[in-house]
Amino acid sequence: LLFAETNHDGDCLESTIVEFVFVLNVSGNTPSEDFYRVDDEDFMAWPTAEGPITAQTDDQPVRRTKRRGSLAEINSDETPTERFVGKSVEIESSGIGMVQLLHLVLSHAVLSGPLAAALISALFHSFPIHANTDQVEAFHLVLIEHCRSVVEDATQRGEPIALKNCIGVSSVILDRLMAGFFTSEPVLEVVKIVLGTLRCLISAGSYASHTLDSSDQNVLVADAARIARLTCITAFQRSRPSGPYDEGHDELKTAVLDSIAKNLRQILLTPVVGATSGRRGGSGASSGYSYT
């Protein structure tokens, strides 16, 4: 119920009475003592089923709301795909065929195509305009799950183009992380993908260290480390309270800090200058980055 003006002409007063009666009929409340006078600073509290809402005073503690999609609420026994289409893959209407097609498209794009990053970026926006929040969230989780599967496969057996595409995938999902997800689960999954890619590129004896020459490895490692730092910072920021009424997400913060701790050496000790030396083809790129 809005009181934009304090002048009480006939039309305004009649409209106010009609709106107030309508609110009472909808909420099932009766007029209370909180129906304040219309002065410069006093307004009527909006009636609810529990009673009218009283004004917030300075000595009352601020009520913080808990975010939806807590990590503790996730069913770890089911993958996002199983949550999306169900476990009964024999049912034709379950949608498992479309998910398998999505995996094949992602795998082909990362392992052999030059436009993997552009494709995945477009897929993040490929849902009907009338889709609700839960549907978009479920699709994003499925897409992230299969991106992780494809990237892990590419870093173990892919050609140099596939390894470079893994950096492109990390860049795309970092962009989506900065844009924001609906819950904390995809935030943590993005952190795992990016740090896993960096670890595979930088570890001594890894497939990438044997496949790439030192200059290419230096460039990819420098890019992967820069993306990893930005990803960890952004994920940590997403776990903090976004306003006075948000209590933040301590579980996400703890999980992100654990992931950072496990990969701290790779995140912090990767020289950025290697990227410049590698691109210019200088002598500074003669040795690759490798940490045990």
Side-chain angles (χ1 to χ4, degrees), residues 3 57 81 106 132 161 229 273-274 287:
F3 291 96
T57 59
T81 298
L106 291 174
N132 58 37
I161 182 64
R229 295 180 189 120
V273 294
S287 60

Side-chain angles (χ1 to χ4, degrees), residues 234-280:
T234 305
F236 187 75
Q237 288 177 336
R238 292 288 181 266
S239 68
R240 301 180 60 189
S242 59
Y245 302 103
D246 181 21
E247 67 176 14
H249 196 163
D250 291 337
E251 294 174 351
L252 175 61
K253 178 172 63 177
T254 301
V256 172
L257 290 176
D258 288 343
S259 298
I260 294 175
K262 293 176 182 178
N263 301 272
L264 190 60
R265 190 178 185 184
Q266 291 86 345
I267 294 173
L268 296 182
L269 299 184
T270 303
V272 178
V273 294
T276 304
S277 301
R279 288 189 181 98
R280 293 178 180 176

Side-chain angles (χ1 to χ4, degrees), residues 4-9 12-13:
E5 300 289 343
T6 58
N7 58 328
H8 295 283
D9 54 59
C12 180
L13 182 59

Side-chain angles (χ1 to χ4, degrees), residues 102-122:
L102 173 65
H103 185 88
L104 290 175
V105 170
L106 291 174
S107 180
H108 175 77
V110 171
L111 291 175
S112 59
L115 300 175
L119 171 66
I120 295 174
S121 179

Side-chain angles (χ1 to χ4, degrees), residues 110 117 151 155 161-173 194 197-198 201 219-225 227:
V110 171
V151 167
T155 53
I161 182 64
L163 298 174
K164 295 175 182 178
N165 280 334
C166 291
I167 305 298
V169 173
S170 296
S171 177
V172 170
I173 58 179
V194 173
T197 301
L198 174 62
L201 291 173
V219 173
L220 294 183
V221 167
D223 289 341
I227 293 173

